[in-house]
mmCIF file of all heavy atoms in Angstrom:
data_model
loop_
_atom_site.group_PDB
_atom_site.id
_atom_site.type_symbol
_atom_site.label_atom_id
_atom_site.label_comp_id
_atom_site.label_asym_id
_atom_site.label_seq_id
_atom_site.Cartn_x
_atom_site.Cartn_y
_atom_site.Cartn_z
ATOM 1 N N LEU A 5 41.631 70.328 247.886
ATOM 2 C CA LEU A 5 41.614 71.172 249.080
ATOM 3 C C LEU A 5 42.429 70.533 250.183
ATOM 4 O O LEU A 5 42.350 69.337 250.403
ATOM 5 C CB LEU A 5 40.178 71.349 249.584
ATOM 6 C CG LEU A 5 39.198 71.972 248.611
ATOM 7 C CD1 LEU A 5 37.805 71.955 249.200
ATOM 8 C CD2 LEU A 5 39.602 73.381 248.289
ATOM 9 N N ASN A 6 43.197 71.326 250.869
ATOM 10 C CA ASN A 6 43.899 70.817 252.036
ATOM 11 C C ASN A 6 43.487 71.588 253.282
ATOM 12 O O ASN A 6 44.102 71.459 254.315
ATOM 13 C CB ASN A 6 45.413 70.878 251.834
ATOM 14 C CG ASN A 6 45.923 72.292 251.699
ATOM 15 O OD1 ASN A 6 45.155 73.236 251.573
ATOM 16 N ND2 ASN A 6 47.229 72.449 251.722
ATOM 17 N N GLN A 7 42.459 72.366 253.163
ATOM 18 C CA GLN A 7 41.991 73.168 254.283
ATOM 19 C C GLN A 7 40.916 72.408 255.045
ATOM 20 O O GLN A 7 39.750 72.384 254.658
ATOM 21 C CB GLN A 7 41.444 74.510 253.788
ATOM 22 C CG GLN A 7 42.485 75.357 253.102
ATOM 23 C CD GLN A 7 43.608 75.753 254.039
ATOM 24 O OE1 GLN A 7 43.370 76.179 255.151
ATOM 25 N NE2 GLN A 7 44.835 75.610 253.579
ATOM 26 N N VAL A 8 41.335 71.729 256.092
ATOM 27 C CA VAL A 8 40.422 70.958 256.924
ATOM 28 C C VAL A 8 40.727 71.265 258.389
ATOM 29 O O VAL A 8 41.774 71.815 258.712
ATOM 30 C CB VAL A 8 40.549 69.439 256.669
ATOM 31 C CG1 VAL A 8 40.152 69.082 255.248
ATOM 32 C CG2 VAL A 8 41.941 68.941 256.954
ATOM 33 N N TYR A 9 39.813 70.890 259.244
ATOM 34 C CA TYR A 9 40.043 71.013 260.677
ATOM 35 C C TYR A 9 39.366 69.856 261.386
ATOM 36 O O TYR A 9 38.462 69.225 260.839
ATOM 37 C CB TYR A 9 39.540 72.365 261.217
ATOM 38 C CG TYR A 9 38.048 72.554 261.114
ATOM 39 C CD1 TYR A 9 37.222 72.257 262.191
ATOM 40 C CD2 TYR A 9 37.461 73.031 259.950
ATOM 41 C CE1 TYR A 9 35.852 72.424 262.107
ATOM 42 C CE2 TYR A 9 36.093 73.211 259.858
ATOM 43 C CZ TYR A 9 35.300 72.900 260.933
ATOM 44 O OH TYR A 9 33.942 73.065 260.844
ATOM 45 N N GLU A 10 39.833 69.554 262.593
ATOM 46 C CA GLU A 10 39.241 68.482 263.376
ATOM 47 C C GLU A 10 38.367 69.098 264.456
ATOM 48 O O GLU A 10 38.805 70.002 265.177
ATOM 49 C CB GLU A 10 40.350 67.634 263.997
ATOM 50 C CG GLU A 10 39.841 66.376 264.648
ATOM 51 C CD GLU A 10 40.970 65.464 265.085
ATOM 52 O OE1 GLU A 10 41.926 65.282 264.313
ATOM 53 O OE2 GLU A 10 40.876 64.938 266.209
ATOM 54 N N LYS A 11 37.154 68.611 264.551
ATOM 55 C CA LYS A 11 36.241 69.127 265.568
ATOM 56 C C LYS A 11 36.801 68.848 266.959
ATOM 57 O O LYS A 11 37.362 67.789 267.209
ATOM 58 C CB LYS A 11 34.870 68.479 265.413
ATOM 59 C CG LYS A 11 34.135 68.930 264.175
ATOM 60 C CD LYS A 11 32.813 68.252 264.046
ATOM 61 C CE LYS A 11 31.783 69.004 264.851
ATOM 62 N NZ LYS A 11 30.424 68.504 264.617
ATOM 63 N N ALA A 12 36.651 69.800 267.850
ATOM 64 C CA ALA A 12 37.216 69.689 269.192
ATOM 65 C C ALA A 12 36.568 68.571 270.010
ATOM 66 O O ALA A 12 37.225 67.935 270.832
ATOM 67 C CB ALA A 12 37.066 71.017 269.927
ATOM 68 N N ASP A 13 35.289 68.299 269.782
ATOM 69 C CA ASP A 13 34.576 67.315 270.591
ATOM 70 C C ASP A 13 34.561 65.910 269.986
ATOM 71 O O ASP A 13 33.956 64.998 270.550
ATOM 72 C CB ASP A 13 33.147 67.793 270.861
ATOM 73 C CG ASP A 13 32.369 68.040 269.575
ATOM 74 O OD1 ASP A 13 32.979 68.036 268.484
ATOM 75 O OD2 ASP A 13 31.145 68.233 269.662
ATOM 76 N N SER A 14 35.219 65.714 268.829
ATOM 77 C CA SER A 14 35.279 64.387 268.202
ATOM 78 C C SER A 14 36.495 64.315 267.295
ATOM 79 O O SER A 14 37.222 65.286 267.137
ATOM 80 C CB SER A 14 34.006 64.128 267.396
ATOM 81 O OG SER A 14 33.970 64.953 266.254
ATOM 82 N N ASP A 15 36.713 63.166 266.675
ATOM 83 C CA ASP A 15 37.823 62.998 265.739
ATOM 84 C C ASP A 15 37.396 63.271 264.308
ATOM 85 O O ASP A 15 38.118 62.952 263.372
ATOM 86 C CB ASP A 15 38.384 61.569 265.823
ATOM 87 C CG ASP A 15 39.163 61.341 267.107
ATOM 88 O OD1 ASP A 15 39.632 62.326 267.692
ATOM 89 O OD2 ASP A 15 39.308 60.172 267.512
ATOM 90 N N GLU A 16 36.247 63.864 264.113
ATOM 91 C CA GLU A 16 35.719 64.101 262.772
ATOM 92 C C GLU A 16 36.482 65.236 262.074
ATOM 93 O O GLU A 16 36.689 66.300 262.638
ATOM 94 C CB GLU A 16 34.233 64.465 262.861
ATOM 95 C CG GLU A 16 33.566 64.554 261.526
ATOM 96 C CD GLU A 16 32.076 64.840 261.655
ATOM 97 O OE1 GLU A 16 31.575 65.043 262.776
ATOM 98 O OE2 GLU A 16 31.415 64.861 260.608
ATOM 99 N N VAL A 17 36.903 64.961 260.841
ATOM 100 C CA VAL A 17 37.611 65.958 260.032
ATOM 101 C C VAL A 17 36.571 66.709 259.211
ATOM 102 O O VAL A 17 35.729 66.106 258.548
ATOM 103 C CB VAL A 17 38.645 65.280 259.109
ATOM 104 C CG1 VAL A 17 39.279 66.289 258.180
ATOM 105 C CG2 VAL A 17 39.704 64.580 259.935
ATOM 106 N N MET A 18 36.632 68.030 259.256
ATOM 107 C CA MET A 18 35.653 68.867 258.553
ATOM 108 C C MET A 18 36.361 69.678 257.470
ATOM 109 O O MET A 18 37.497 70.112 257.654
ATOM 110 C CB MET A 18 34.979 69.825 259.537
ATOM 111 C CG MET A 18 34.321 69.153 260.726
ATOM 112 S SD MET A 18 32.968 68.058 260.292
ATOM 113 C CE MET A 18 31.802 69.217 259.671
ATOM 114 N N ILE A 19 35.690 69.891 256.358
ATOM 115 C CA ILE A 19 36.219 70.693 255.256
ATOM 116 C C ILE A 19 35.927 72.164 255.534
ATOM 117 O O ILE A 19 34.808 72.519 255.893
ATOM 118 C CB ILE A 19 35.524 70.316 253.931
ATOM 119 C CG1 ILE A 19 35.711 68.849 253.615
ATOM 120 C CG2 ILE A 19 36.025 71.185 252.792
ATOM 121 C CD1 ILE A 19 34.851 68.370 252.464
ATOM 122 N N VAL A 20 36.945 73.013 255.360
ATOM 123 C CA VAL A 20 36.694 74.448 255.436
ATOM 124 C C VAL A 20 35.882 74.790 254.188
ATOM 125 O O VAL A 20 36.266 74.473 253.082
ATOM 126 C CB VAL A 20 38.016 75.249 255.481
ATOM 127 C CG1 VAL A 20 37.752 76.730 255.366
ATOM 128 C CG2 VAL A 20 38.789 74.925 256.745
ATOM 129 N N GLY A 21 34.754 75.403 254.344
ATOM 130 C CA GLY A 21 33.841 75.636 253.229
ATOM 131 C C GLY A 21 32.643 74.709 253.341
ATOM 132 O O GLY A 21 31.637 74.882 252.681
#
Side-chain angles (χ1 to χ4, degrees):
L5 301 174
N6 64 350
Q7 298 297 314
V8 296
Y9 65 95
E10 189 172 316
K11 290 179 85 172
D13 58 350
S14 70
D15 288 337
E16 187 177 4
V17 174
M18 304 297 293
I19 302 170
V20 172

